[in-house]
Amino acid sequence: MNTAAVAFDSRHAARQRLREALFRGATLIAALLVLTLLGGVAVSLLHGSWPAFSHFKLAFLTREIWNPVTDEYGALAPVYGTVVTSLLAMIIAIPISFGIAIFLTELAPSWLKRPVGVAIELLAAVPSIIFGIWGLFVLAPILQRHVQPWLIEWLGPLPVIGKLFQGPPFGIGILTASIVLAIMVLPFISAVMRDVFETVPDVLKESGYGLGATTWEVIWKVVVPYSRTGIVGGIMLGLGRALGETMAVTFVIGNAHRISPSLLAPGTTISASIANEFTEAVGDLYTSSLVALGSLLFLITFTVIAAARFMLLRLDRRALSSV
Amino acid sequence: MKRRTVRKITNGLALCMSGLATAIGLFCLGAILWTLISRGVAGMSVALFTQNTPPPGGTGGIVNAIYGSVVMTLIGILIGAPIGMLAGTYLAEYGRTSRLSSVIRFVNDVLLSAPSIIVGLFIYELLVVRMGHFSALAGAVALAVIAIPVTVRTTEDMLNLVPQGMKDASTAMGAYPWRTITSIIYPAARSGIVTGLLLAVARISGETAPLLFTALNNQFWSTNLRAPMANLPVVIFQFALSPYKNWQQLAWSGALLVTLAILILSITARVVVSALNPGGDKQR
């Protein structure tokens, strides 16, 4: 009887160990799959873009031409459009996000904090295609009728910067895409900034107030320097979003493969080109060139996002150690 | 002017600007919702939910697109959620501070903000090219790839909220880690995990870019997972950019439906979180 109990026990233990090994193995495999995903994306993009890169060599990066008829493709216009719309979007979005984050952490009375915070987070939940359709049917006509003529009339004749505001008011174009992008990345940047500002120890702020500083002085001279890395990380995260954003831009960019100095002119971005042309692309070289654009986008966003995450990583550690 | 006055004015100005910035953010949300409601409600009808997408000029609804979206989102979450939860479990319970875990955590964070159109291209190369045709299944897998990092992140965060004492108590009773995890930690973190799943569903149900060249679109009712399938985001995209008034109207109605569904999911998720830890914001 005793031996039976021991035998049962060891069988029970063996079964437990087996299940443990299985469960642990399953979680490990799932975790490794996450790594594989990133690797798989990189490999499949490289594989798909190989024909284009081997055919055009480095000229792919430096030429503006995009001609499906003669099968000649260059990435310069979409890359230019991607970079310009994203940078312009950041110029618009950073101050507004900063203001929102300040409002949420330092100014808002506590009864207002939560509803306003949730509303901004809901803006982040709105899918990008909604921003696109709104941008095309609501924002673009408003800009075309009321804003762009004014810009052309008053800023157009100026030396140097005038070049940015010339040509007819199309409504859609680089500027409109940038504004829509800015609205889209607003909630992401302000959420990160808010979280970063909240890690500033109260003691530091109170010392500032104790010395007679105004609220703004405490924000600008205590809160901001303390959370500098996190702010930059949040901005880079927003930039990463803006660079890769597809649907919102596709609606309002105008999809013209050329580089024009005017911000009011239609242009294109990498993601908009892919979204617009991929299913219609005939011929291996055309498809491959679009995938090659995708690889460039992957490279650019990966760099920006990785840098952002790296900065926020350091922030997390510091936030943890200060608790 | 006295220095003190200048400082006070600067302060006042800066704080006003901050309030203004918040007003701009709220105004954008309001403007978008208002447009959706005012234009979308006009197209609400029984036909919208009972008829397939029409040819240009004809009448019809978007029931095939609604069905396709629901099916692909569900399959996407059914594939993505278990993988994401298991990976999140590894990071929170087994890996914790190991070097591998920090690499995976980093890669996951990168995937979390990677452009979704890249995921579309990836699945196109991986599935569509191999199978030789667009299919609903490829669309669902693309959505799963987007859902995985979201679930990994929320699962890890939620498992970390479970008090260490509970885990220790279970271990002290001789339970193996898998037993502790499945019988103690998962139930304790249940509402948090549900929140994560809701957020993942909300995230993928509005995604358009990854479906453009995986699921494509289908004008007709189709339940075949190996064939192209209509879905709301792509229908909205194609119909909104069309010159036909009836298509544009359907696009607005579809947009309203998608946004409502997503906002309801997001708000539900938040309610679940605040029920989980009352009296505290979700951050700290």
Side-chain angles (χ1 to χ4, degrees), chain A residues 207-222:
Chain A
S207 336
Y209 287 121
L211 289 170
T214 60
T215 311
W216 171 247
E217 283 163 348
V218 168
I219 293 166
W220 195 243
K221 293 179 178 162
V222 179

Side-chain angles (χ1 to χ4, degrees), chain A residues 1-17:
Chain A
M1 190 174 152
N2 225 349
T3 49
V6 170
F8 173 79
D9 248 25
S10 74
R11 239 186 307 145
H12 177 75
R15 210 163 51 222
Q16 288 286 318
R17 273 199 298 274

Side-chain angles (χ1 to χ4, degrees), chain A residues 13 16-17 19-20 23-24 26-28 30-35 37-38 40-41 44-45 47-48 95-96 99-100 102-103 107 114 116 118-123 125-127 129-131 133-134 136-138 183 186 194-195 198-199 212-217 219 237 241 244 246-247 250-251 271 274-276 278-279 287 290-291 294 297-298 301-302 305-306 309-310 313, chain B residues 7-8 10-11 14-15 17-19 21-22 24-26 28-29 31-32 35-36 39 83 86-87 89-90 94 100 103-104 106-118 121-122 124-125 134 145 148 152-153 176-179 181-182 186 203 206-209 212-213 216 233-234 236-237 240-241 248 251-252 255 258-259 262-263 266-267 270 274 281-284:
Chain A
Q16 288 286 318
R17 273 199 298 274
R19 286 189 189 166
E20 172 63 24
F23 188 76
R24 195 193 161 98
T27 61
L28 180 62
L32 289 175
L33 192 74
V34 173
L35 283 186
L37 272 185
L38 191 70
V41 170
S44 73
L45 285 180
H47 176 258
I96 301 181
I100 294 176
I102 293 290
F103 184 82
L107 293 184
R114 194 162 160 73
V116 172
V118 169
I120 299 293
E121 281 167 26
L122 286 186
L123 190 61
V126 173
I129 189 162
I130 305 298
F131 284 93
I133 179 172
W134 179 77
L136 179 65
F137 286 99
V138 179
I183 300 174
L186 260 188
R194 179 191 64 184
D195 291 357
E198 273 173 357
T199 63
T214 60
T215 311
W216 171 247
E217 283 163 348
I219 293 166
L237 209 58
R241 289 242 168 218
T246 309
M247 299 322 293
T250 306
F251 273 91
S271 47
I274 301 174
N276 267 321
F278 197 80
T279 46
T287 311
L290 286 168
V291 179
L297 178 65
F298 181 70
T301 48
F302 181 84
I305 296 170
R309 290 295 177 184
F310 189 68
L313 209 66
Chain B
R7 286 174 56 208
K8 271 190 164 172
T10 317
N11 185 47
L15 300 188
M17 295 305 273
S18 152
T22 312
I24 292 175
L26 294 179
C28 290
L29 179 69
I32 289 171
T35 313
L36 278 179
R39 299 219 187 182
I83 297 175
L86 284 174
T89 308
Y90 179 82
Y94 287 114
L100 176 67
V103 172
I104 292 175
F106 186 77
V107 166
N108 191 65
D109 280 351
V110 171
L111 283 175
L112 202 58
S113 12
S116 55
I117 194 155
I118 299 283
L121 282 179
F122 169 52
Y124 175 85
E125 295 283 338
F134 299 101
V145 171
I148 288 174
V152 171
R153 183 66 183 271
Y176 276 90
W178 77 269
R179 172 64 84 185
I181 292 168
T182 52
Y186 280 165
R203 170 80 198 271
E207 282 291 352
T208 317
L212 281 176
F213 21 84
L216 206 66
V234 176
I236 296 172
F237 176 52
L241 286 178
Q248 289 183 3
W252 281 110
V258 170
T259 313
I262 289 171
L263 290 187
S266 311
I267 293 171
R270 275 184 180 76
S274 53
D281 211 22
K282 80 172 190 281
Q283 266 81 26
R284 19 201 147 246

Side-chain angles (χ1 to χ4, degrees), chain B residues 51-56 61-68 72 215-224 227-231 235 238-239:
Chain B
Q51 292 179 18
N52 289 338
T53 42
I62 46 174
V63 66
N64 52 342
I66 297 176
Y67 171 81
M72 279 188 271
L216 206 66
N217 197 356
N218 192 334
Q219 201 191 323
F220 306 104
W221 176 270
S222 163
T223 54
N224 184 359
M229 194 184 266
N231 55 89
V235 165
Q238 292 184 348
F239 281 19

